[in-house]
């Protein structure tokens, strides 16, 4: 016989089981429904990505107590870098105590925001925490933070308020890499993940609307940061946010660093680059010229990307006056020519050493950054050019023929930084598929064949050497010391100049040949190509031309093989 007590107990167990199984059942259903739903937290909504893209130009700010030292943020901390290796120059005990002297009394968030606005920048991204683990905000999850410095103020908060007030879009850089946190990449890494998620929750909760989260995970995976739930939380708290590709998931955009990305219009990207050399402030750091700054912006936008341009403020809280001045100059340029940058798309002419192009509606903006020839020869487009003008002053002669567009601008109307030619079309420029050009090259886009193609599956084919995209190539395998690359120009053409770029200086002996009947005749030869071979010779007229490699230290790799027609001046002589 069961006692009353026992009866009550077994009843409770029974009931408990029932409740449990109901809960389990509804949980299963929920899981099933969840897995059928698209993971919309992986990507931002297209309209938000579009708005982010249209801004084109933003201010990156790397700042922390390390500015007292003038060394690089994160990387100059001596001490273990779990997951990375190497060691910085400042002993960890010293680095980790710098904040106790950090008192940037001249910090004024409104001033920083004004500097960004005057530069023509539309957004700002600030380091809330770098690899050194120091929080520039009042986080409940750590004592290693700005509010425990003599300065005491929450810099992230003041910047948020200033951006909101001024209508500047706002983002926070956050490094999931943390060489300060005791649990980071140890057996108790899960505790670090909790900390990381907790800090992102604070950032996304305490500072009003945020437009961008800029992770810097140094190649860490979704597992390292438990990224899926993290992204879900971030996008739930901040539905408009754009997230970069360094948080363990591809997310919204790519992030070429310290270089302008290659032309890419099927996925958003943003170059991040420093105005000087260091991310954090360094006294007397080498600063870029205005020409470098503007050409970088033009090349980024011409490649269909954004530019996030970095300054490192000083330990007193100010941005260096000479940097402020440089940014202001950029802003002045943008005031005049901003219509060729903001809300445009890159192309249709892909960037090259000659320059870059952007377009909007029925207009193409050709930005000539480098006049190496007297005329710029662009590939044909399936639209009619109905008008042209030179936005930077003066006039251009634009000839549109079936096989090329030829633009010439008199020397006095060419600008040192950027000569902008506006081409008005009889239809939308977005309908033109992007094409690369190498100014004046006869070879571009012509048929090419080659021996011993290495890794065809990787796309290293002969055509890549003549496709006008300097970033793609033909390569042979490493055992091949002899190989040829042949170009069919389609019809006999006259040329007197060749340019070849070959990786790693591997070629030891080569010939340039043309075909007459069935025989190949050598018209130039050499023992070294290297990355920028250029040679002038007596004009040759031929349809088939080849580079015949006779010896190499390793499998030759040809990025570009271009032929040029004799200059017009020479012809008339
Ligand atoms: O926050 C900025 C950099 O600190 C960070 N990303 C940008 C946005 C960054 N993390 N890793 N890297 C950059 C690349 C690493 C470069 C290194 Fe080095 C080469 C680290 C050690 C050798 C740079 C150069 C730091 C020290 C020397």
């Amino acid at each position: 016989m069961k006692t009353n007590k026992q009866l009550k107990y077994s009843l409770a167990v029974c009931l408990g089981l029932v409740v449990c199984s109901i809960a389990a059942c509804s949980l299963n259903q929920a899981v099933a429904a969840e897995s059928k739903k698209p993971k919309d937290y992986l990507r931002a909504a297209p309209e938000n990505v579009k708005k982010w893209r249209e801004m084109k130009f933003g201010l990156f700010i790397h700042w922390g107590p390390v500015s007292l030292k003038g060394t690089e943020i994160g990387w100059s901390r001596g001490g273990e870098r779990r997951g990375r290796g190497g060691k910085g120059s400042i002993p960890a005990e010293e680095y980790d105590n710098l904040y106790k002297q950090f008192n940037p009394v001249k910090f004024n968030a409104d001033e920083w925001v004004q500097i960004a606005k005057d530069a023509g920048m539309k957004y700002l991204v600030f380091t809330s925490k770098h690899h050194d683990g120091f929080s520039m905000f009042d986080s409940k999850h750590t004592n290693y933070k700005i509010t425990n410095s003599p300065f005491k103020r929450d810099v992230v908060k003041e910047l948020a308020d200033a951006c909101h007030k001024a209508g500047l879009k706002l983002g926070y850089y956050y490094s999931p890499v943390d060489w300060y946190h005791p649990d980071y990449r140890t057996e108790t890494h899960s505790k670090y993940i909790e900390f990381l998620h907790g800090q992102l929750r604070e950032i996304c909760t305490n500072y009003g609307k945020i437009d961008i989260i800029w992770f810097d995970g140094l190649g860490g995976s979704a597992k390292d940061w438990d990224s899926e739930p993290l992204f879900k939380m971030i996008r739930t708290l901040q539905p408009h946010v754009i997230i970069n590709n360094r948080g363990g998931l591809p997310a919204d955009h790519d992030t070429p660093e310290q270089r302008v990305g290659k032309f890419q219009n099927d996925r958003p990207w943003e170059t991040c680059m420093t105005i000087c050399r260091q991310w954090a402030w360094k006294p007397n750091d080498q600063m870029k010229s205005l020409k470098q700054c503007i050409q970088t912006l033009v090349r980024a936008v011409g490649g269909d990307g954004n530019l996030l341009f970095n300054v490192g403020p000083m330990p007193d809280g100010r941005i260096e006056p000479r940097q402020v001045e440089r940014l202001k100059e950029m802003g002045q340029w943008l005031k005049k020519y901003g219509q060729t940058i903001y809300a445009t798309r890159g192309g249709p002419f892909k960037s090259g050493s000659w320059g870059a192009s952007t377009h909007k509606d029925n207009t193409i903006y050709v930005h000539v950054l480098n006049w190496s020839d007297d005329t710029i020869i662009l590939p044909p487009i399936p639209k009619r050019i109905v008008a042209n003008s030179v936005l930077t002053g003066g006039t251009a002669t634009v000839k549109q023929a079936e096989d090329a567009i030829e633009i010439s601008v008199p020397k006095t109307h060419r600008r040192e930084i950027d000569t902008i030619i506006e081409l008005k079309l009889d239809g939308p420029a977005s309908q033109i598929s992007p094409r690369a050009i190498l100014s004046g090259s006869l070879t571009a886009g012509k048929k090419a064949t080659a021996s011993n193609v290495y890794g065809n599956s990787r796309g290293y084919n002969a055509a890549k050497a003549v496709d006008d995209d300097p970033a793609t190539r033909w390569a042979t395998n490493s055992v091949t010391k002899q190989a040829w690359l042949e170009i069919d120009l389609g019809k006999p053409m006259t040329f007197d100049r060749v340019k070849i770029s070959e990786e790693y200086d591997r070629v030891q002996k080569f010939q340039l040949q043309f075909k007459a009947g069935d025989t190949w005749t050598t018209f130039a030869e050499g023992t070294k190509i290297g990355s920028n071979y250029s040679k002038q010779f007596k004009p040759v007229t031929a349809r088939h031309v080849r580079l015949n490699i006779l010896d190499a230290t390793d499998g030759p790799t040809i990025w570009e093989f271009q032929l040029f027609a004799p200059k017009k001046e020479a012809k008339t002589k």
Side-chain angles (χ1 to χ4, degrees):
M1 264 282 280
K2 278 180 180 167
T3 64
N4 256 357
K5 230 179 178 177
Q6 279 172 325
L7 202 71
K8 264 190 202 151
Y9 175 74
S10 49
L11 218 99
V13 168
C14 267
L15 270 173
L17 273 176
V18 171
V19 171
C20 265
S21 64
I22 289 171
C25 174
S26 60
L27 198 77
N28 280 341
Q29 275 170 352
V31 167
E34 183 73 12
S35 61
K36 269 184 218 140
K37 264 202 292 182
K39 293 179 172 179
D40 52 6
Y41 53 88
L42 295 181
R43 293 282 150 89
E47 64 268 24
N48 293 326
V49 176
K50 181 168 181 277
K51 280 186 197 149
W52 171 84
R53 248 181 166 164
E54 288 179 345
M55 298 195 288
K56 292 295 168 198
F57 191 28
L59 181 64
F60 213 175
I61 305 180
H62 276 66
W63 200 42
V66 71
S67 61
L68 289 163
K69 282 286 180 185
T71 58
E72 190 59 293
I73 192 166
W75 295 99
S76 61
R77 180 182 186 270
E80 202 185 355
R81 289 176 187 161
R82 285 189 294 279
R84 181 72 190 201
K87 210 172 175 182
S89 56
I90 302 172
E93 305 79 56
E94 188 187 349
Y95 192 106
D96 297 347
N97 285 299
L98 285 171
Y99 76 103
K100 294 179 182 161
Q101 308 158 41
F102 190 50
N103 194 11
V105 291
K106 291 188 178 157
F107 168 69
N108 181 330
D110 293 322
E111 274 174 27
W112 286 13
V113 166
Q114 195 56 46
I115 288 165
K117 291 195 91 174
D118 289 346
M121 291 157 161
K122 305 292 184 190
Y123 59 106
L124 180 157
V125 179
F126 179 70
T127 47
S128 62
K129 189 199 81 173
H130 206 271
H131 310 331
D132 61 15
F134 186 75
S135 297
M136 291 295 280
F137 60 104
D138 189 15
S139 171
K140 286 200 177 68
H141 302 288
T142 181
N143 288 320
Y144 189 46
K145 59 181 176 182
I146 188 73
T147 42
N148 286 340
S149 73
F151 191 51
K152 292 199 168 63
R153 286 153 55 184
D154 184 335
V155 170
V156 161
K157 168 89 170 67
E158 293 186 23
L159 276 170
D161 292 346
C163 282
H164 292 144
K165 201 163 65 182
L168 195 71
K169 299 291 178 203
L170 166 69
Y172 289 113
Y173 167 106
Y174 186 94
S175 169
V177 171
D178 190 324
W179 295 316
Y180 179 88
H181 199 284
D183 298 307
Y184 179 75
R185 289 198 192 274
T186 63
E187 276 177 8
T188 48
H189 183 73
S190 61
K191 275 171 112 181
Y192 174 71
I193 291 181
E194 258 175 59
F195 166 80
L196 157 73
H197 287 221
Q199 285 213 312
L200 262 304
R201 180 178 288 282
E202 290 178 319
I203 290 172
C204 293
T205 308
N206 298 343
Y207 302 105
K209 189 176 171 219
I210 294 173
D211 307 287
I212 298 155
I213 293 290
W214 211 104
F215 284 118
D216 203 357
L218 301 185
S221 68
K223 224 174 115 209
D224 295 327
W225 326 124
D226 202 12
S227 306
E228 289 212 15
L230 178 63
F231 279 40
K232 206 168 175 178
M233 174 188 75
I234 293 171
R235 294 209 205 263
T236 305
L237 295 169
Q238 295 284 345
H240 292 89
V241 87
I242 302 295
I243 306 178
N244 73 344
N245 67 340
R246 298 191 188 184
L249 292 166
D252 302 322
H253 67 91
D254 295 337
T255 51
E257 178 167 328
Q258 294 291 43
R259 65 183 171 86
V260 174
K262 68 171 178 16
F263 187 93
Q264 176 179 295
N265 69 352
D266 55 358
R267 181 174 151 82
W269 61 271
E270 171 190 69
T271 277
C272 57
M273 196 184 277
T274 51
I275 192 167
C276 293
R277 290 192 168 183
Q278 223 172 244
W279 292 96
W281 180 69
K282 177 181 172 180
N284 303 312
D285 200 359
Q286 190 181 321
M287 186 169 70
K288 292 186 173 67
S289 66
L290 180 62
K291 179 173 172 174
Q292 287 173 311
C293 292
I294 287 175
Q295 293 199 344
T296 298
L297 175 63
V298 169
R299 286 186 184 284
V301 177
D304 209 36
N306 283 19
L307 176 65
L308 185 58
F309 207 40
N310 180 78
V311 298
M314 298 188 289
D316 68 2
R318 290 175 306 144
I319 299 171
E320 243 187 34
R322 64 177 178 143
Q323 296 180 23
V324 175
E325 192 52 36
R326 181 66 82 246
L327 293 176
K328 199 176 270 172
E329 290 166 348
M330 292 183 84
Q332 283 158 356
W333 185 88
L334 277 162
K335 266 208 185 101
K336 287 194 209 147
Y337 308 119
Q339 84 265 31
T340 71
I341 300 291
Y342 302 120
T344 63
R345 296 297 302 263
F349 309 115
K350 290 187 186 175
S351 316
S353 61
W354 64 277
S357 71
T358 59
H359 69 268
K360 187 158 54 182
D361 303 326
N362 289 8
T363 305
I364 298 175
Y365 302 104
V366 180
H367 293 260
V368 185
L369 305 176
N370 189 4
W371 290 94
S372 58
D373 294 305
D374 282 346
T375 54
I376 299 291
I377 297 171
L378 305 170
I381 49 170
K383 292 274 179 260
R384 214 163 56 82
I385 300 170
V386 292
N388 75 77
S389 62
V390 183
L391 298 184
T392 41
T395 51
T397 308
V398 176
K399 289 184 203 150
Q400 183 172 26
E402 215 163 82
D403 60 345
I405 299 165
E406 210 178 295
I407 301 180
S408 45
V409 173
K411 274 211 171 71
T412 50
H413 298 166
R414 297 179 199 165
R415 306 295 159 213
E416 168 66 14
I417 292 181
D418 184 4
T419 310
I420 310 174
I421 299 122
E422 181 188 71
L423 305 176
K424 290 270 182 211
L425 312 180
D426 64 351
S430 59
Q431 290 173 355
I432 305 167
S433 59
R435 49 205 68 202
I437 67 152
L438 290 167
S439 183
S441 170
L442 301 174
T443 322
K446 294 288 153 55
K447 238 182 97 188
T449 43
S451 65
N452 309 67
V453 176
Y454 167 67
N456 236 334
S457 57
R458 301 179 207 197
Y460 295 161
N461 59 51
K464 297 271 161 95
V466 296
D467 68 353
D468 263 354
D469 185 346
T472 59
R473 58 182 162 155
W474 160 71
T476 64
N477 58 48
S478 59
V479 289
T480 305
K481 309 296 185 216
Q482 297 194 341
W484 51 262
L485 175 65
E486 182 183 328
I487 302 163
D488 178 354
L489 294 167
K491 60 181 181 200
M493 288 187 169
T494 304
F495 48 88
D496 71 347
R497 217 154 38 98
V498 64
K499 275 189 192 173
I500 309 174
S501 73
E502 195 270 307
E503 194 169 24
Y504 311 127
D505 209 2
R506 289 170 172 174
V507 173
Q508 306 260 289
K509 195 169 181 205
F510 70 97
Q511 304 167 319
L512 287 163
Q513 302 175 308
F514 68 88
K515 197 151 90 175
D518 279 340
T519 27
W520 287 101
T521 305
T522 301
F523 62 90
E525 58 194 336
T527 53
K528 179 183 166 70
I529 295 181
S531 65
N532 198 12
Y533 173 82
S534 174
K535 190 171 171 74
Q536 184 114 25
F537 38 81
K538 274 207 315 221
V540 173
T541 303
R543 174 177 166 175
H544 299 275
V545 187
R546 80 176 181 185
L547 168 66
N548 194 28
I549 297 165
L550 300 169
D551 195 15
T553 55
D554 206 335
T557 287
I558 305 291
W559 300 96
E560 291 302 326
F561 181 10
Q562 305 167 59
L563 298 168
F564 298 88
K567 289 226 172 100
K568 289 213 176 90
E569 292 87 358
K571 231 192 224 167
T572 55
K573 264 182 210 162

